[in-house]
Structure formats: C-alpha cells, structure tokens
Amino acid sequence: MLTGSIQITGEALSGAEIKDICDSLKESSVRLLSVRGCQLSDRDFGRVCRGVAESHSLAQLNLNLGVVSTIGRTKQLAEALKANRSLQTLFLHGSPLLDAGLVTLNGALSTHPSLVSLDLGDCMLGDEAVRLICGLFPPDGAKSGLKELTLSANPAVSTQGWARLAIAVAHSSQLRVLNLDYNPLGDHIAGMLAVSVASSRTLEVLDLEGTGLTNQSAQVFLDMVENYPTSLRVLVLAENDISPELQQQISDLLSEGEEEEDKDGEARGSSVTPREKPAWVPHSITASKRLEQKGSTEMDITRALFRRDHFYLRNRNMNCL
C-alpha cells in the first residue's frame, strides 16, 4: 500500500480531522504525521496516540510547539512508543517536558528498535534529562542508536551536563548530526566538543550557532580540522563572537578535506571508493544546509492533508520539509 503524509500546522483540529488521522494510522497508510502547534483535546490526543501505537507505517511524528503540553500527554505518548515499532524520527521541539518528561519517555525511547532521530530542542531540559539522553546513543541489540539529536535552546543544562554529553558523543555514539545551537556553552564546553569530534568516526554536522563562543574556540576547531582526520563536514559557528575570517578558514578546510578524499578514491580506481555517502538522510535544518533560513530553532512545516489517493492543500504558504 502506498503511504502518504498528514501535515497540519497551528490549528484547532476538528473531530473529522482527528478521525482521518486515526483511521490512516490504524490502516498503516501514513508515513509522516505532523500536527505541529495544533490544539486538540486530551481525549483526541489519546486517540492519536493509540493510532500511533497501532501503525506499522509511521516513520516520522512531529508534535512540535506544545502539543505534548502535560505530563499526562507525555505518559500517553510513552505508551504509544512502547507499542510502535516503525517510528524513525520524533519531533518534540518546544514541548514543556522538563526532566520529569524525559524520565517518563526514557523507557520507551531507550528500547524503541527504529528511532534514529530525536528533536528535544526548547524542551526545558536539565542535567537529568541529558544523562538519560546519553544512554540513547550506543547501539544495543535490536536498536540502532541515535544518528541525529537536536538539543537547541535548553539553557537549564549545566556545564557538567554538557560535559557528560561530550564524553558520550566521543565514546559510544553513532551520531551524524548534533544540534546544540542557542545554548550557553562557552569556550570550555566547545573545547570538549572538539575532542568529541576528533574522536568520532561518524559525526558530520555540528551546530554551535549562538552558543557564546569566541575566537578561542574557533582556533581549537581550526587546529583540529587542519591537523587531524575527521568525518565532520559542517560546523556552524554563526552568531558567536568569532571573526568571519576564522569561520571561513574552517569552512574552507572542511570543504577541501571532503574534495581531497573524493579525488583520492577516484585516483585509486573502482576498487577503492571515496568516503561512503551516508544512507541516513538528516531531517534537521542544519543538516540539510539549513534550507537557507535560521530565524527559529524549530522547523516550519506546511498545513496539508494527504491520504491514500487524495491530496488536500490547506495552506497557501507552502514550505519544504
């Protein structure tokens, strides 16, 4: 069966729309569900969660901007994730989860067999949540481990919490994309992250926009990319107290490194290929070259409804995923 997507942004959902969503989930005819910023009753949220639990096709779920607004809803979502086996990407950006919410979700997140991308930006998280998130990194038996993580705008995390995250990234992570933008990290944590990048064999995108860095951090990253092999392809340092010249030097070196690897692979013949391009397609703005925008840390999605063989456009302002 061909699967479609349901995407609705910032509206009060009617009973008919909730029914459409639930029917599509239960019939496994929807691959992407986004109700970003929508208003729905607790009863209807529960119905949607039961549909998520029953779906065998759902790969991406977007509940950004306050849809998961209470601990009760967090518990309902956790129960749905425990039953679901297909979900790969979960967006909860702008949800007031707090550490208690992550504690509630952790059991479901840590055992989900397919989840590889998680957006917890602006979720009011602290050190306890970061500790739990670090446990989601390593592959373990049936689960693959996270490949993309967004923790933008969680200023309650302490230096100790960020240090724990940096160690986890270096030690046991398969992460390819890490978005930490708009957190007060400072040069000390940036230095630790540079060590993580140098140690990681997988990390390709690191977003440190607006994180309180100076030329000191930039110099550390410059030395790293000049002198050590790294998988890093994109390092975002905008909105920091870093000179444009240093930012350009780092960007040029990252680009040159990738080009040289590709040329080396071609020169050695077909038996040795350039660095393998990842099958994983990142979902974040940063990882997809930021779609030439960065005003918010949260991705904009159009309001549309696509079910089976019908497509209903509900918003004249259409944006790409």
Side-chain angles (χ1 to χ4, degrees):
M1 177 186 293
L2 291 175
T3 56
S5 64
I6 299 174
Q7 302 174 56
I8 309 172
T9 297
E11 296 191 16
L13 298 181
S14 68
E17 286 172 319
I18 293 294
K19 185 178 185 302
D20 272 343
I21 290 170
C22 293
D23 288 347
S24 295
L25 288 169
K26 292 175 182 179
E27 294 166 8
S28 293
S29 62
V30 60
R31 183 170 175 80
L32 184 157
L33 172 61
S34 172
V35 288
R36 170 183 175 271
C38 288
Q39 298 87 51
L40 62 165
S41 68
D42 289 342
R43 176 177 176 273
D44 285 342
F45 183 83
R47 292 171 62 194
V48 171
C49 284
R50 288 191 290 275
V52 169
E54 295 180 34
S55 176
H56 301 291
S57 63
L58 187 66
Q60 186 176 131
L61 177 61
N62 189 325
L63 301 174
N64 284 356
L65 300 184
V67 177
V68 185
S69 55
T70 65
I71 193 65
R73 292 192 177 192
T74 306
K75 291 176 180 177
Q76 288 178 309
L77 177 60
E79 290 302 313
L81 294 175
K82 287 178 183 177
N84 177 277
R85 289 293 178 265
S86 62
L87 194 68
Q88 299 174 20
T89 301
L90 177 62
F91 293 103
L92 294 173
H93 202 115
S95 303
L97 295 178
L98 302 170
D99 285 0
L102 248 291
V103 170
T104 300
L105 289 171
N106 184 62
L109 296 176
S110 62
T111 57
H112 198 287
S114 304
L115 189 69
V116 291
S117 179
L118 183 61
D119 185 344
L120 295 171
D122 195 17
C123 284
M124 304 171 68
L125 304 181
D127 289 359
E128 176 62 13
V130 170
R131 184 186 69 79
L132 296 173
I133 290 165
C134 290
L136 304 178
F137 288 166
D140 180 16
K143 73 182 184 72
S144 62
L146 288 181
K147 295 182 180 178
E148 180 173 359
L149 174 64
T150 295
L151 287 175
S152 313
N154 280 295
V157 178
S158 71
T159 299
Q160 182 178 359
W162 293 125
R164 182 191 291 271
L165 182 80
I167 293 169
V169 170
H171 180 259
S172 58
S173 170
Q174 291 195 127
L175 277 182
R176 295 185 179 179
V177 179
L178 179 59
N179 299 317
L180 299 178
D181 46 318
Y182 297 101
N183 286 298
L185 303 181
D187 290 328
H188 177 66
I189 294 301
M192 295 193 69
L193 288 169
V195 175
S196 299
V197 171
S199 303
S200 173
R201 297 181 180 181
T202 59
L203 193 63
E204 298 177 350
V205 178
L206 178 60
D207 185 354
L208 298 177
E209 179 171 348
T211 51
L213 309 188
T214 69
N215 284 343
Q216 176 182 329
S217 296
Q219 191 62 56
V220 171
F221 281 110
L222 180 61
D223 291 343
M224 180 197 69
V225 297
E226 270 187 319
N227 299 303
Y228 300 95
T230 175
S231 298
L232 196 66
R233 297 181 184 181
V234 178
L235 176 63
V236 183
L237 296 172
E239 300 298 325
N240 286 297
D241 190 17
I242 297 173
S243 70
E245 292 78 15
L246 272 175
Q247 293 190 50
Q248 190 61 52
Q249 282 181 274
I250 294 169
S251 178
D252 290 345
L253 283 168
L254 290 173
S255 299
E256 289 171 10
E258 187 172 350
E259 290 172 3
E260 286 174 6
E261 283 190 2
D262 289 347
K263 288 179 182 177
D264 287 346
E266 292 171 0
R268 293 172 188 172
S270 58
S271 61
V272 179
T273 59
R275 180 170 61 192
E276 182 183 354
K277 305 300 181 184
W280 167 245
V281 179
H283 298 285
S284 68
I285 292 177
T286 301
S288 57
K289 305 301 184 184
R290 312 177 73 75
L291 302 182
E292 300 183 354
Q293 67 170 18
K294 183 60 185 177
S296 167
T297 60
E298 193 269 336
M299 190 184 303
D300 188 28
I301 293 180
T302 186
R303 186 209 195 304
L305 174 62
F306 177 43
R307 292 190 64 243
R308 293 176 285 272
D309 56 343
H310 295 90
F311 182 82
Y312 306 96
L313 185 63
R314 301 289 188 85
N315 188 348
R316 286 187 289 270
N317 298 318
M318 191 174 223
N319 296 295
C320 295
L321 278 174

